[in-house]
Amino acid sequence: MPIKMERRLRDALAGTSDKPPRPVSPLELPFRLEKLLTPAVLKTLRPASVLVPVIRRPHQLTVLLTQRSEKLRSHKGQISFPGGRREDSDESAAHAALREAQEEVGLDPASVEVIGYLDDYPTVTRYRVTPVVGLLPPPQLKLDAGEVADAFEVPLSLLLRKDSYERKVFSRNGLNVPFFEIHHADRRIWGATAGMLYNLMQKVQGA
């Protein structure tokens, strides 16, 4: 089963690239908000990258996620991928994602095979995030306690099922803004992280 799942994943991401022009994730925003995401606005967003680490376990593939430290200024305690803002020294989106993953959870960049990219994801914090999908063997993690409180894995098979995603809504400035939410064990995965995983599910289901 892991071999078949890996093949589906590779097929879904074949041909994706971090080179511009990059596709933008369909956020399913209300029309009034969707109109605001013009090409000019997208250009003002700061570039960032996250790594979507897919781990080869003996009987299944899993996705590594982190729980952000309570010490951080923003999004404290939330579930996320390893990643962050792209620096001038980063050669590519993949380089930035791998650098951040090494800093946050101790992943060896040489152990990760980058197999493709999801659509760019604009965030309310004014970042344009490029999700980089990589395959790797079971890692030896070393968490940076200042940034990461915990790390855990979710079966990829669960994340590729459409019924794993609940559509929720929050209100901001008089607008009802939709988002996705996933529950696994006692974890709540929502917001941008769930949105990127939903994009992954769409790509694999459509492959």
Side-chain angles (χ1 to χ4, degrees):
M1 181 178 173
I3 295 175
K4 182 178 179 181
M5 186 71 76
E6 181 176 326
R7 189 178 301 117
R8 288 182 64 197
L9 190 61
R10 288 180 181 276
D11 288 346
L13 298 174
T16 59
S17 169
D18 65 342
K19 301 295 186 293
R22 290 271 303 144
V24 177
S25 181
L27 301 179
E28 301 183 43
L29 294 172
F31 183 61
R32 284 170 59 195
L33 281 182
E34 198 172 65
K35 287 199 304 182
L36 298 178
L37 288 176
T38 63
V41 168
L42 289 170
K43 284 183 179 179
T44 69
L45 302 182
R46 295 166 289 182
S49 297
V50 296
L51 182 66
V52 183
V54 180
I55 299 174
R56 293 186 181 101
R57 293 290 178 185
H59 302 294
Q60 66 177 343
L61 299 181
T62 65
V63 174
L64 178 70
L65 293 164
T66 65
Q67 181 174 350
R68 291 169 60 86
S69 170
E70 293 290 344
K71 301 175 185 177
L72 295 172
R73 289 184 179 181
S74 62
H75 307 294
K76 57 182 64 177
Q78 292 184 11
I79 305 302
S80 66
F81 295 113
R85 185 173 182 174
R86 185 168 169 176
E87 305 291 346
D88 291 339
S89 57
D90 290 319
E91 301 167 1
S92 62
H95 185 275
L98 292 170
R99 173 183 56 76
E100 288 282 348
Q102 185 175 33
E103 293 173 3
E104 292 180 14
V105 297
L107 285 186
D108 177 8
S111 71
V112 181
E113 179 193 359
V114 173
I115 62 169
Y117 303 84
L118 304 181
D119 298 344
D120 282 356
Y121 197 97
T123 70
V124 294
T125 48
R126 298 195 59 78
Y127 283 99
R128 179 170 176 161
V129 182
T130 300
V132 181
V133 182
L135 283 165
L136 65 153
Q140 295 279 340
L141 299 181
K142 185 177 180 181
L143 307 186
D144 179 347
E147 294 194 53
V148 180
D150 195 11
F152 62 98
E153 297 173 35
V154 180
L156 180 62
S157 58
L158 174 74
L159 299 173
L160 296 183
R161 284 173 26 205
K162 191 170 184 177
D163 61 3
S164 295
Y165 296 81
E166 295 181 53
R167 193 183 299 273
K168 299 290 184 72
V169 173
F170 72 88
S171 294
R172 171 169 290 190
N173 298 327
L175 290 173
N176 292 326
V177 181
F179 66 93
F180 290 107
E181 185 172 283
I182 311 162
H183 289 274
H184 174 65
D186 60 344
R187 310 281 189 175
R188 176 183 179 241
I189 307 163
W190 68 287
T193 303
M196 293 177 211
L197 288 169
Y198 189 83
N199 183 232
L200 174 63
M201 181 272 295
Q202 288 180 310
K203 287 185 180 296
V204 174
Q205 296 292 5

